[in-house]
Amino acid sequence: MLSTSHPFVTSCGVVGLGLVHNLGDITNLYTAHEQNLSPAVQGPLPKTDVSKLSEFLPKAPMRRIPHYARMGLLAASQALKSLPDDVSREDVGLVIGSAYAGAKMSMDFMDSILDGSPRLSSPTAFSHAVNNMGAGLLSLYLGLRGPCHTISQDSLSFAGGLEIAITMLLAKRARYVLLGAIEETDSRLLNTDKNVFQHKNLDDGEGAVFFLLTKRNNTTISLQWNKAEIFSDSLEENGIYKNIYGFTPLAQAFDTAMQFFMLSEGQKAKNTCCQSVYGRQATITLQA
Amino acid sequence: MQKVCVTGMSCVCAAGTSCDAVWKSLVEGSIKRTSSLVLHDDALPYPFFAAPEEAFISGRRHSSADVLHLGLFAAQDALKQSKITEQIQQHMGIIIGTTAGSALHFLQGYAASRVQSDNASRGSTAPHQTIDIIDYHKSNLALSIANHLGGLGPVSTITNACTSGADAIGLAADMIRNGQCELILCGGADALSLVPHTGFARLMVYSDEPCRPFDADRRGLNLGEGAGMLVLESEAHAKARGAHILGYIAGYGSAVDAHHFTAPHPEARGLAKSVTQALAEASIPLENLAFINVHGTATMENDKVEGAYCYGAFPKTPVWASKGVTGHTLGAAGALEAIFCLMALQHRLVPRSHGFINPDPAIMLKPTQEHTVITSEYALSTSLGFGGGNAALVLKAVKNIAEEL
């Protein structure tokens, strides 16, 4: 594929990882890869289990917040375990990359218009459907008071988020940044896409991945933007391990998490490259 | 630290389709609200500040493409003004904020999908194609503008609700200072459709009357549409290519309240932090601030918190609330208002704040009630967002106004 690269490569250090998926955590995901499991193509996946969130946060308020944010809270809490004790959460920024944000609430809000009328539509669903709902709830429940950003650009949401996280660290706006990607599945959204695009490969894939980043650390993550020629108008299929997690805008975040885990196990990491339908590519490299 | 300058800027909103036209409307107080029936026959009866039809490159499509087209309209104009070469444009970064542009608002497509799913369950499989869902997948703001205009550099669509436009500018300035990119097209864009219009109306924060920021009798916001785009580059880069400098991004601050999901912190904790950061970065004493362009949405909560903070922290600084002329343009607001600040600095004049009549004793703040001549070269622009986000930008005029006077 013909491509041109942006001359600047940005990078920072990786300190910690949190991952939530139908299969469990990063160890379960890696084991599934080793065993060549392919649950995503075996039919609808069960909703991701977030019961371990009670290890980090009180149960009662969590019941009131959407599944999307609960997945994010669990993965972010896991990653925050790597935050040094002497660092205040005031000094931690937050960046979330999410293509669809609160998909269920968005579809609920549209249902409330279609089933009733604008006059009877649900204000609660609307407020939880705003793209930065996840960032707002995570900052609130995790006590993060630094800069807080949400990036929404299809499969390149995680890469866009990484660029912003590195920007914040280089500009000294935060000592640490929680960079995450969250997506939730919703059968109504999936059916809408399938009905329009007649696309056969739209499998469910949901979960959350969070990295705790700082300016420098033993493991570095770097990002380079490229532009490729667009050869077709179809939806791109990205992801090294998509047999495990399916077709999802989370692909690059899951791939990067797998590379981080493999590096920590003493294995060699691969580059993760993701391309959007617009022809833009982002290559993420992890190095020990 | 590298100075980040503005070498191109353009805006489109209900007040006009160029910086000159918008400035004229801001000064004259021209208010052009449009019936919500333009959006849909079933839209709730809350008028909005519609972008002029000519700004929608292929007509209003009631989809994400409307946001993209407003963004492209302003982006092309800003790039033209910056006079960058095609070669530089091919390497620029694109950082743009939006609220509605990236949201799942394809109501027509979803309605058709529901019907199709019903039909499929009865054995009929006639496919459908609706414009809005196809547009959604082709209109991501930053990615699509990069596709249309070139731009190999960093690309991010910022969706921080109402601080998106301001954050896009602040982050773009940071990227240039960090050396991540030499030139960035940044800003914000938003257009309305039935879904976001209905959502804000149902949140009970929307007034059916013209909005009245900081007024004792304010009844809520009016939504608006628009786009504001700026071309940023390092001063050294701009001077090396002989570019005309329009102003500077002198400071940026960003902080989240972490207080409540929808309401701002009662003591403006995050706003105060972001303003303090922005002023410190600009290294200016408070008395050098010519004016503040506030977020001033005319909702009860925003104006109470923001107004009390500004009155307490900047008792002598003129405060300009401009949404009485533009409406609240969501993800575009912070970018449009940064451009308004630069225009005010250029004209050395802060327009009066339209919509304000009666001071609110709970706030004390009185935004500008008449046009005010300014004598210093810095302006502060504040943005508050859903989810507790806050952003502050310090804009600087090209010339030292006080010295010239």
Side-chain angles (χ1 to χ4, degrees):
Chain A
M1 183 176 291
L2 295 172
S3 73
T4 323
S5 297
H6 181 60
F8 300 100
V9 180
T10 51
S11 63
C12 67
V14 190
V15 179
L17 168 70
L19 187 144
V20 176
H21 183 263
N22 309 78
L23 291 173
D25 61 14
I26 184 67
T27 314
N28 301 123
L29 209 64
Y30 183 72
T31 305
H33 160 63
E34 289 280 274
Q35 295 172 348
N36 205 21
L37 290 183
S38 52
V41 294
Q42 292 173 353
L45 292 169
K47 208 161 195 166
T48 305
D49 178 13
V50 289
S51 59
K52 285 187 177 173
L53 188 54
S54 61
E55 293 173 15
F56 299 96
L57 292 162
K59 270 186 180 177
M62 293 303 108
R63 289 193 200 106
R64 291 196 296 270
I65 69 167
H67 176 67
Y68 169 87
R70 277 187 276 171
M71 288 192 295
L73 276 167
L74 179 52
S77 298
Q78 291 169 352
L80 268 178
K81 285 198 290 187
S82 304
L83 185 70
D85 292 337
D86 62 338
V87 178
S88 161
R89 290 193 180 188
E90 289 253 356
D91 295 325
V92 180
L94 175 67
V95 183
I96 295 177
S98 185
Y100 303 124
K104 181 183 180 304
M105 287 294 176
S106 293
M107 305 312 281
D108 281 356
F109 184 61
M110 289 198 283
D111 272 339
S112 74
I113 294 176
L114 294 170
D115 293 337
S117 70
R119 199 172 296 282
L120 298 172
S121 60
S122 164
T124 306
F126 179 73
S127 63
H128 282 94
V130 176
N131 274 48
N132 70 332
M133 171 271 291
L137 287 172
L138 263 65
S139 66
L140 177 62
Y141 287 106
L142 298 175
L144 308 175
R145 292 188 198 161
C148 178
H149 301 296
T150 302
I151 312 303
S152 300
Q153 48 187 24
D154 302 335
S155 53
L156 290 175
S157 299
F158 177 70
L162 177 57
E163 183 78 47
I164 298 302
I166 294 171
T167 301
M168 287 160 64
L169 291 166
L170 293 176
K172 297 181 180 169
R173 300 208 177 273
R175 283 178 68 192
Y176 287 80
V177 175
L178 261 178
L179 165 67
I182 318 171
E183 302 292 347
E184 69 177 338
T185 54
D186 184 278
S187 58
R188 296 164 293 182
L189 175 61
L190 194 69
N191 283 336
T192 304
D193 269 352
K194 279 185 172 174
N195 286 340
V196 170
F197 293 104
Q198 306 292 302
H199 202 283
K200 299 284 187 285
N201 295 326
L202 290 169
D203 303 309
D204 277 8
E206 72 167 18
V209 183
F210 271 83
F211 293 90
L212 184 64
L213 307 177
T214 192
K215 204 165 175 181
R216 287 186 195 87
N217 204 41
N218 294 337
T219 305
T220 60
I221 184 168
S222 57
L223 168 70
Q224 182 160 34
W225 293 99
N226 318 294
K227 184 170 185 179
E229 278 188 25
I230 305 171
F231 291 111
S232 77
D233 210 22
S234 65
L235 292 168
E236 293 290 340
E237 289 190 42
N238 290 295
I240 301 171
Y241 309 102
K242 61 176 175 281
N243 63 310
I244 301 169
Y245 47 65
F247 181 90
T248 167
L250 284 168
Q252 195 166 28
F254 276 137
D255 284 351
T256 307
M258 289 282 267
Q259 302 314 309
F260 181 70
F261 180 77
M262 288 158 80
L263 268 182
S264 67
E265 296 288 298
Q267 298 180 43
K268 198 177 172 193
K270 297 175 188 170
N271 289 347
T272 74
C273 184
C274 182
Q275 183 180 326
S276 75
V277 290
Y278 305 88
R280 290 305 302 270
Q281 291 176 332
T283 303
I284 294 175
T285 307
L286 277 163
Q287 282 183 310
Chain B
M1 187 187 285
Q2 290 217 58
K3 284 186 178 176
V4 176
C5 63
V6 180
T7 54
M9 62 184 190
S10 180
C11 52
V12 54
C13 60
T17 55
S18 67
C19 285
D20 288 344
V22 170
W23 178 251
K24 190 166 179 281
S25 296
L26 288 167
V27 171
E28 291 176 354
S30 312
I31 296 174
K32 298 167 192 161
R33 295 197 313 156
T34 299
S35 165
S36 57
L37 293 175
V38 167
L39 300 174
H40 196 280
D41 290 346
D42 294 335
L44 295 170
Y46 295 91
F48 70 110
F49 285 85
E53 286 301 314
E54 65 262 34
F56 294 99
I57 294 167
S58 57
R60 194 182 281 275
R61 291 167 68 92
H62 304 280
S63 73
S64 305
D66 291 340
V67 181
L68 171 64
H69 292 162
L70 287 184
L72 271 172
F73 185 92
Q76 286 166 332
D77 199 29
L79 287 170
K80 190 176 167 189
Q81 187 182 25
S82 73
K83 293 182 179 164
I84 59 170
T85 62
E86 201 172 306
Q87 191 188 5
I88 294 174
Q89 188 169 327
Q90 286 305 312
H91 284 85
M92 69 183 174
I94 296 179
I95 312 293
I96 302 178
T98 186
T99 296
S102 285
L104 303 178
H105 288 171
F106 36 72
L107 190 67
Q108 188 196 355
Y110 177 47
S113 173
R114 291 192 347 162
V115 170
Q116 189 176 353
S117 294
D118 281 351
N119 289 344
S121 68
R122 295 189 202 103
S124 165
T125 56
H128 75 276
Q129 295 269 307
T130 58
I131 285 172
D132 61 350
I133 196 157
I134 293 169
D135 280 356
Y136 171 79
H137 285 283
K138 289 186 171 178
S139 304
N140 182 270
L141 202 50
L143 287 171
S144 194
I145 286 181
N147 194 30
H148 279 86
L149 303 178
L152 198 55
V155 55
S156 284
T157 300
I158 312 282
T159 54
N160 290 351
C162 310
T163 67
S164 302
D167 281 320
I169 295 169
L171 289 163
D174 276 351
M175 285 181 185
I176 289 167
R177 286 193 198 100
N178 293 342
Q180 290 163 260
C181 196
E182 287 177 330
L183 184 141
I184 297 181
L185 173 72
C186 61
D190 255 320
L192 293 173
S193 65
L194 181 66
V195 176
H197 182 269
T198 301
F200 278 93
R202 291 290 293 139
L203 288 173
M204 306 297 181
V205 294
Y206 204 140
S207 174
D208 54 358
E209 297 170 359
C211 66
R212 304 171 70 173
F214 299 101
D215 192 281
D217 300 318
R218 66 191 182 279
R219 294 182 55 197
L221 57 74
N222 297 160
L223 288 180
E225 299 177 311
M229 296 289 167
L230 302 92
V231 177
L232 304 189
E233 53 192 306
S234 70
E235 187 184 44
H237 188 266
K239 284 185 173 172
R241 69 179 187 90
H244 177 60
I245 295 174
L246 304 170
Y248 292 87
I249 309 299
Y252 166 56
S254 171
V256 70
D257 284 338
H259 162 70
H260 187 273
F261 179 43
T262 54
H265 187 274
E267 288 159 17
R269 181 168 63 195
L271 177 63
K273 189 175 173 183
S274 59
V275 167
T276 303
Q277 285 173 0
L279 291 174
E281 193 167 281
S283 300
I284 55 163
L286 292 188
E287 58 269 24
N288 280 16
L289 209 52
F291 68 94
I292 304 169
N293 180 290
V294 282
H295 193 56
T297 56
T299 60
M300 293 308 290
E301 280 303 304
N302 178 89
D303 287 10
K304 190 167 80 177
V305 169
E306 190 184 26
Y309 167 71
C310 288
Y311 182 76
F314 306 95
K316 293 180 181 171
T317 309
V319 168
W320 175 29
S322 52
K323 288 188 173 69
V325 179
T326 63
H328 186 359
T329 55
L330 302 172
L336 281 171
E337 288 160 18
I339 293 171
F340 298 168
C341 287
L342 289 166
M343 291 196 292
L345 289 168
Q346 285 174 346
H347 289 91
R348 300 172 187 180
L349 183 83
V350 182
R352 83 175 178 89
S353 302
H354 297 278
F356 175 82
I357 301 169
N358 301 312
D360 182 342
I363 300 175
M364 301 294 286
L365 181 88
K366 291 180 190 169
T368 51
Q369 290 170 282
E370 54 192 34
H371 300 334
T372 306
V373 173
I374 53 175
T375 56
S376 67
E377 68 267 37
Y378 290 95
L380 173 69
S381 177
T382 54
S383 297
L384 288 80
F386 196 83
N390 302 272
L393 291 169
V394 176
L395 295 309
K396 183 182 177 297
V398 175
K399 290 176 183 167
N400 186 326
I401 297 172
E403 274 178 18
E404 281 203 354
L405 292 174

